[in-house]
Amino acid sequence: MENELHPTLRASGSSPTYWLTRFVILRLLGLLYAVAFLVAINQILPLIGSKGLLPVGTYLEQVSSALGSDGAGFRRLPSLFWFWHSDAALLTVAWVGFGLACLVVAGFANALSMAALWVLYMSIVHVGQEWYGYGWEIQLTETGFLAIFLCPLLDLRPFPRQAPPMPIIVLFRWLIFRIMLGAGLIKVRGDEIWRNSTALYYHFETQPIPGPLSRWFHFLPHSALRVGVWFNWLAELVAPLFAFGPRFGRHAAGMVMVLFQLNIILSGNLSFLNWLTIIPALACFDDGFWARLLPRRLVRKAEAAAARAEPSKPMLATAWVVTALIAVLSIQPALNMVSPGQVMNTSFDPLDLVNTYGAFGTVGQERLNVVFEGTMDPDSSDQANWQPYLYKGLPVALNQPPPQIAPYQLRLDWQMWFAAMSSPAEYPWTLHLVWKLLQNDRGAVSLFARNPFPDKPPRYIRAIRYRYTFARPDNPQGLWWNRERVDIWLPALSANDPRLVEFMQNSGWLR
């Protein structure tokens, strides 16, 4: 019969198989690698290029000086850029990574290509400084490392002769277990509004970059928002416990965790975090599950591959070696997860092989935004004609609806979300950004949605901190946001301001 599964894809009566699981995991991982490298292609030079806000060359010199040598720096932060870190090198790594990722999306992956992607992206993360300091960066490197061992060494075909090694499938489940449980525990320990189920009263409005549906979620009845918190507990504290369980419980856990991530995708713009978190959750499903969802053409190819499968002792032996390595490296992250002093999004080894994760341990109850403004007027007071620099994602204009950005990431916008909760002293590169805007630096301006001074640089730049709140959907002005001014985050500065010039010289950014 057409709908009858091949015996090799059945989960009952024999061990489940994971040919289709591997196919789906690698395609989605390839897509996220492609997005991540595309972000680098577009933003890496204005962020860490030779004329970027935090130049990679200066950073490597600082690391080498602090650790005693380039060799010590490489051992602590392995990266290809210790050998070559020009702008051409940065773009070469980004473009090669993007090309390899597109091949994976197209269905062509082996251990060598996946290892190359892992090395290339890790090289960027380890020199990306605070622009790449997010938990999903090391989560991508850990996920990418495991994916190397799902594949044969050389065979690029979507359905090669070697089955995915079961130990690696289990390691993916161990990854989703740590990601979800770590996120749940950090919330329980971190914030009273999680414990009293009111966190979602604020989250959708105060998250880093809201999405098109965030306002709708924000104005849901409080009873629905409390149910959302309870679903969060189900997905993060209960479902992971069944990731290693019997087939029915494992499938149920996988579906709960995936649905939870899809809900977050709909309600905001958290970069590629949630798409990436779906990947290890897919290891909860076997081919019997996928055969009912995927096109029959793919199912038949998986059936044919399973029928002609050849065992590979080297591939299985390697999988067991990797499993032993991950087991040893998991000790410290596991102890951290159960510790009262739990930290999140931290790596415990130089290669980021086993990390600790967590997100939104605390939820802000107000949204602060720093808006850069420029003027051509000789007067730098409030009476001058100040024009804002619009971000690509963060709200500035009150009638501007939040865009859909994720899984793409706007790294300046994300850092400015953090900066708004702090002072310029904690984000000194913001003064470098002001200097570049005063020069109409093309790279710096490209990080914004548009340049309000396309013909001539402004005379003054300042930064004002505002408090933003969602406007109700039925407001007569058609506004998306309300705001009130909080304070002057950076005073008006000109290109010849001695305070700015001295700071730039002392920071090594003006030579």
Side-chain angles (χ1 to χ4, degrees):
M1 294 177 62
E2 179 69 17
N3 292 326
E4 184 177 355
L5 299 180
H6 190 281
T8 54
L9 297 185
R10 292 176 184 155
S12 57
S14 61
S15 299
T17 59
Y18 295 91
W19 297 84
L20 291 169
T21 302
R22 173 171 62 187
F23 179 88
V24 176
I25 285 176
L26 291 178
R27 301 295 84 72
L28 182 53
L29 180 58
L31 177 62
L32 296 184
Y33 263 133
V35 171
F37 282 112
L38 182 62
V39 170
I41 289 169
N42 291 333
Q43 300 177 40
I44 199 167
L45 292 190
L47 295 179
I48 65 170
S50 60
K51 297 181 180 179
L53 295 174
L54 293 171
V56 63
T58 303
Y59 177 66
L60 292 177
E61 289 174 5
Q62 292 170 345
V63 172
S64 179
S65 176
L67 297 180
S69 67
D70 286 358
F74 178 83
R75 288 190 294 273
R76 176 62 186 87
L77 293 170
S79 173
L80 297 174
F81 298 118
W82 283 101
F83 308 102
W84 182 39
H85 57 258
S86 66
D87 289 355
L90 294 171
L91 286 178
T92 297
V93 165
W95 275 107
V96 171
F98 179 73
L100 285 175
C102 289
L103 287 176
V104 175
V105 175
F108 304 102
N110 60 19
L112 291 180
S113 63
M114 298 308 298
L117 284 168
W118 174 67
V119 169
L120 292 172
Y121 198 68
M122 182 176 61
S123 293
I124 294 176
V125 170
H126 283 176
V127 302
Q129 303 162 74
E130 57 194 79
W131 309 109
Y132 280 81
Y134 310 104
W136 51 85
E137 310 296 353
I138 55 176
Q139 186 177 325
L140 179 53
T141 59
E142 180 172 351
T143 306
F145 177 77
L146 294 181
I148 296 170
F149 305 99
L150 275 180
C151 312
L153 180 63
L154 299 175
D155 195 336
L156 283 163
R157 292 175 297 174
F159 295 100
R161 289 191 178 275
Q162 286 75 41
M166 191 61 199
I168 305 302
I169 296 294
V170 173
L171 290 180
F172 272 98
R173 294 174 188 168
W174 171 234
L175 175 56
I176 191 61
F177 175 87
R178 287 184 288 111
I179 291 171
M180 300 300 287
L181 191 61
L185 291 175
I186 200 72
K187 291 179 176 68
V188 170
R189 295 174 173 133
D191 201 330
E192 174 63 26
I193 63 173
W194 279 115
R195 295 191 292 272
N196 65 22
S197 302
T198 63
L200 295 187
Y201 295 2
Y202 314 100
H203 165 73
F204 301 114
E205 181 176 76
T206 63
Q207 65 182 303
I209 303 181
L213 296 178
S214 297
R215 183 172 69 168
W216 180 83
F217 278 91
H218 176 71
F219 285 111
L220 285 173
H222 279 184
S223 58
L225 296 174
R226 292 173 74 91
V227 170
V229 175
W230 301 340
F231 182 56
N232 185 101
W233 298 136
L234 174 66
E236 293 187 337
L237 294 178
V238 179
L241 304 178
F242 294 88
F244 303 98
R247 185 172 186 262
F248 176 79
R250 184 164 33 83
H251 284 189
M255 286 188 283
V256 167
M257 291 187 286
V258 170
L259 285 173
F260 177 65
Q261 298 302 324
L262 291 175
N263 181 71
I264 300 176
I265 288 169
L266 287 174
S267 64
N269 276 307
L270 299 186
S271 184
F272 52 78
L273 169 62
N274 306 109
W275 293 103
L276 180 60
T277 303
I278 286 173
I279 291 176
L282 300 180
C284 292
F285 306 120
D286 54 41
D287 286 351
F289 176 91
W290 291 113
R292 291 172 170 81
L293 296 179
L294 297 177
R296 289 297 304 166
R297 178 180 58 85
L298 281 179
V299 175
R300 292 192 191 98
K301 288 184 176 181
E303 292 171 349
R308 68 171 187 271
E310 298 177 355
S312 171
K313 291 183 178 179
M315 190 174 176
L316 185 58
T318 302
W320 280 113
V321 170
V322 171
T323 301
L325 174 64
I326 297 300
V328 172
L329 294 177
S330 293
I331 295 173
Q332 195 169 355
L335 291 175
N336 170 77
M337 190 162 56
V338 299
S339 166
Q342 178 191 4
V343 295
M344 60 183 187
N345 302 325
T346 301
S347 176
F348 293 91
D349 61 87
L351 296 176
D352 307 329
L353 299 184
V354 184
N355 313 299
T356 182
Y357 301 103
F360 294 104
T362 58
V363 173
Q365 298 184 36
E366 64 175 3
R367 177 176 198 88
L368 298 175
N369 278 0
V370 170
V371 178
F372 291 95
E373 300 174 343
T375 183
M376 299 294 296
D377 294 353
D379 174 18
S380 63
S381 70
D382 284 346
Q383 282 65 50
N385 179 28
W386 292 99
Q387 298 294 318
Y389 285 81
L390 301 180
Y391 296 106
K392 294 180 179 180
L394 285 177
V396 176
L398 302 184
N399 61 351
Q400 175 181 299
Q404 180 58 47
I405 300 298
Y408 194 85
Q409 183 175 3
L410 301 170
R411 297 190 180 275
L412 174 66
D413 295 46
W414 269 83
Q415 280 301 308
M416 289 310 303
W417 179 77
F418 286 107
M421 296 180 281
S422 304
S423 67
E426 297 175 76
Y427 291 84
W429 55 262
T430 54
L431 286 164
H432 196 187
L433 176 61
V434 166
W435 173 266
K436 286 182 173 294
L437 294 179
L438 288 166
Q439 316 297 322
N440 252 358
D441 178 83
R442 184 166 58 181
V445 169
S446 73
L447 298 171
F448 293 88
R450 68 176 182 86
N451 181 6
F453 305 97
D455 301 321
K456 186 179 179 181
R459 182 170 294 184
Y460 293 100
I461 294 284
R462 70 179 186 179
I464 305 296
R465 180 158 48 186
Y466 295 94
R467 182 179 294 108
Y468 277 72
T469 57
F470 273 130
R472 295 201 66 87
D474 56 355
N475 74 87
Q477 296 84 13
L479 299 178
W480 277 84
W481 298 98
N482 299 313
R483 78 177 185 184
E484 59 178 318
R485 179 165 161 171
V486 176
D487 57 17
I488 297 176
W489 198 73
L490 275 175
L493 296 167
S494 64
N496 57 5
D497 189 304
R499 297 169 298 173
L500 181 59
V501 173
E502 181 182 10
F503 177 83
M504 290 292 295
Q505 291 173 336
N506 291 340
S507 301
W509 291 328
L510 185 61
R511 300 176 181 178

